[in-house]
């Protein structure tokens, strides 16, 4: 007999929760979430191109002398951003943008340390199951790859244009959310390691709906990164209309026509708006279906949390537009996107059919 995972269902005697590992992974996930917010603030304060060198580990210390400050400032003076936008900037002004990017990179390296040291300790203690350690090693490698992607993104703004490629920004954010989702899902599995059993018809349908919702939210986030990277959020700061139009006439002004969805400011923002509302409706429909199914245990709570979070996220998106990308709201909007992903990952986890203990 199968049933949904609930608090009343006991895990099989051979499978017990591993709370220390789960807590460690949840801390890492929280740090990744914080990293995304720090990254948003770094971008919104136009600090991301202030460090033109990439020195993993050995570059963890900031300039410690006046001479070193002038050296890194001179490097920045050679960038398109300085020549085009900040040629008036003095050393004090440079320092004001330097610190956010430095903190962003420092935090990324701290995540690596917080992940690697406990991983090695748990491994040497024999507390990592044979089928788990390759997954954890893979997560560490993804973290290293993410650092490389971050530098790949920054380099795009150091050559000809005074801004980073919005494609590379979207890749960087997508990788962060992928790592976050894998950390969260792995931690949930360690907290409640009940084995999967056969599908019930309603469980398969709801889980399929949840997967489509998660995929649609992911696409929405990608277009949100396009909005951020192209500064499309600073245009059409009205809602629901865009400069008095449902569909602004500028959406198809570029040639060839097929580059408009990813290069045209008006089209990028319009697509993000449509995707946000569509994904919101899909998620709310999912939440309603789960609640109407009257599933036992945590599935209903996860559904309510998911529905509530998507409403908050839509409100944050609209407020970001109306406030012309006010930094606190915009940073909260980026955090909200990841929290929507969190709720969907949790809901998918709770929709597992499991064997009674």
């Amino acid at each position: 007999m199968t049933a949904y995972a609930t608090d009343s269902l006991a895990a099989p005697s051979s499978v017990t929760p591993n709370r220390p590992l789960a807590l460690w992974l949840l801390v890492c996930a929280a740090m990744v979430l914080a990293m995304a917010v720090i990254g948003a603030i770094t971008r919104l304060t136009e600090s991301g191109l202030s460090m033109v060198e990439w020195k993993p580990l050995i570059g963890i210390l900031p300039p410690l002398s006046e001479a070193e400050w002038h050296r890194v400032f001179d490097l920045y003076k050679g960038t398109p951003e300085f020549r085009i936008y900040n040629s008036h900037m003095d050393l004090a002004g440079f320092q004001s943008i330097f610190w956010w990017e430095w903190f962003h990179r420092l935090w990324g390296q701290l995540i690596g340390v917080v992940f690697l040291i406990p991983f090695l300790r748990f491994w040497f203690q024999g507390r990592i199951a044979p089928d788990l350690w390759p997954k954890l090693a893979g997560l560490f490698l993804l973290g290293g790859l993410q650092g490389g992607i971050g530098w790949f993104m920054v380099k795009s703004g150091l050559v000809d244009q005074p801004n980073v490629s919005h494609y590379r920004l979207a890749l960087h954010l997508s990788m962060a959310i992928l790592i976050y989702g894998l950390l969260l899902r792995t931690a949930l599995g360690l907290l409640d390691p009940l084995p999967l059993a056969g599908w019930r018809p309603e469980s398969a349908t709801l889980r399929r709906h949840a997967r489509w919702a998660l995929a649609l939210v992911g696409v929405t986030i990608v277009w949100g990164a396009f909005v951020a990277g192209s500064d499309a959020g600073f245009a059409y700061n009205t809602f629901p209309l865009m400069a008095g139009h449902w569909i602004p006439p500028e959406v198809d002004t570029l040639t060839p026509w097929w580059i408009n969805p990813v290069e045209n400011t008006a089209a990028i923002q319009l697509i993000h708006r449509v995707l946000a509302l569509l994904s919101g409706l899909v998620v709310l429909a999912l939440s309603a279906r789960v609640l109407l199914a009257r599933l036992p245990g945590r599935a209903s709570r996860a559904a309510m949390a998911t529905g509530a979070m998507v409403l908050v996220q839509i409100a944050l998106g609209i407020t970001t537009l109306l406030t012309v990308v006010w930094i606190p709201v915009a940073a909260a909007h980026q955090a909200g996107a990841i929290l929507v992903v969190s709720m969907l990952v949790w809901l998918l986890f709770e929709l597992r059919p499991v064997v009674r203990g």
Side-chain angles (χ1 to χ4, degrees):
M1 180 178 180
T2 61
Y4 284 94
T6 71
D7 292 325
S8 62
L9 295 178
S13 58
S14 60
V15 182
T16 57
N18 194 329
R19 295 186 183 279
L21 264 69
L23 178 61
W24 159 57
L25 292 177
L26 288 174
V27 168
C28 291
M31 292 184 72
V32 172
L33 172 59
M35 180 72 165
V37 175
I38 295 168
I41 296 172
T42 301
R43 174 177 46 78
L44 291 165
T45 56
E46 299 183 351
S47 305
L49 297 176
S50 59
M51 294 179 67
V52 303
E53 296 177 302
W54 191 49
K55 297 179 179 179
L57 299 180
I58 63 173
I60 194 171
L61 293 176
L64 299 177
S65 67
E66 188 77 10
E68 182 64 10
W69 272 114
H70 280 287
R71 186 189 73 82
V72 295
F73 186 30
D74 287 341
L75 291 174
Y76 176 67
K77 288 178 180 179
T79 66
E81 181 177 77
F82 179 84
R83 293 195 303 268
I84 296 173
Y85 294 136
N86 293 334
S87 58
H88 62 282
M89 181 177 284
D90 58 12
L91 180 60
F94 170 70
Q95 290 172 328
S96 70
I97 65 171
F98 176 91
W99 286 115
W100 270 115
E101 175 63 9
W102 174 80
F103 183 54
H104 181 56
R105 296 191 190 189
L106 173 66
W107 192 260
Q109 295 186 67
L110 284 176
I111 294 174
V113 172
V114 171
F115 186 93
L116 181 61
I117 293 178
F119 171 63
L120 294 176
R121 180 181 178 184
F122 287 135
W123 189 17
F124 290 143
Q125 291 175 341
R127 300 174 69 178
I128 298 178
D131 63 333
L132 179 60
W133 81 261
K135 299 176 184 177
L136 297 178
L139 277 168
F140 181 74
L141 292 176
L142 284 177
L145 177 62
Q146 173 70 336
I149 291 173
W151 177 242
F152 178 63
M153 177 189 71
V154 169
K155 281 186 65 177
S156 66
L158 300 177
V159 183
D160 300 316
Q161 299 297 322
N163 41 56
V164 300
S165 162
H166 59 292
Y167 301 112
R168 298 187 190 187
L169 174 64
L171 175 62
H172 192 43
L173 179 59
S174 298
M175 179 61 77
I177 293 175
L178 173 63
I179 292 171
Y180 174 85
L182 291 173
L183 285 167
L184 179 60
R185 177 60 181 83
T186 305
L188 290 172
L190 291 169
L191 286 172
D192 187 13
L194 292 170
L196 294 176
W199 293 103
R200 288 191 342 193
E202 61 266 45
S203 70
T205 302
L206 290 171
R207 192 170 175 85
R208 191 179 305 116
H209 187 160
R211 284 173 172 163
W212 277 108
L214 184 58
L216 187 55
V217 167
V219 175
T220 304
I221 291 172
V222 168
W223 249 267
F226 289 165
V227 169
S230 63
D231 288 334
F234 292 95
Y236 306 101
N237 297 106
T238 57
F239 189 87
L241 299 180
M242 298 176 65
H245 301 274
W246 289 106
I247 301 177
E250 301 86 6
V251 295
D252 60 352
T253 55
L254 299 182
T255 55
W257 64 267
W258 47 265
I259 68 171
N260 282 284
V262 292
E263 294 284 349
N264 184 313
T265 296
I268 289 173
Q269 192 188 123
L270 175 63
I271 291 171
H272 184 56
R273 289 186 183 211
V274 172
L275 285 172
L277 294 174
L278 179 60
S279 59
L281 289 173
V282 170
V283 171
L284 289 173
L286 170 65
S287 299
R289 289 184 65 198
V290 174
L291 291 172
L292 290 173
R294 299 183 180 277
L295 303 177
R298 295 184 296 263
S300 294
R301 293 201 292 272
M304 287 189 288
T306 302
M309 190 62 235
V310 82
L311 290 174
V312 170
Q313 176 65 351
I314 291 172
L316 284 171
I318 295 171
T319 306
T320 299
L321 269 178
L322 298 181
T323 59
V324 196
V325 196
W326 185 38
I327 291 177
V329 178
H333 186 46
Q334 180 142 311
I338 300 176
L339 291 176
V340 170
V341 171
S342 305
M343 297 301 104
L344 285 168
V345 170
W346 178 30
L347 180 55
L348 267 167
F349 181 78
E350 296 300 339
L351 289 175
R352 299 173 307 157
V354 298
V355 177
R356 287 187 183 275

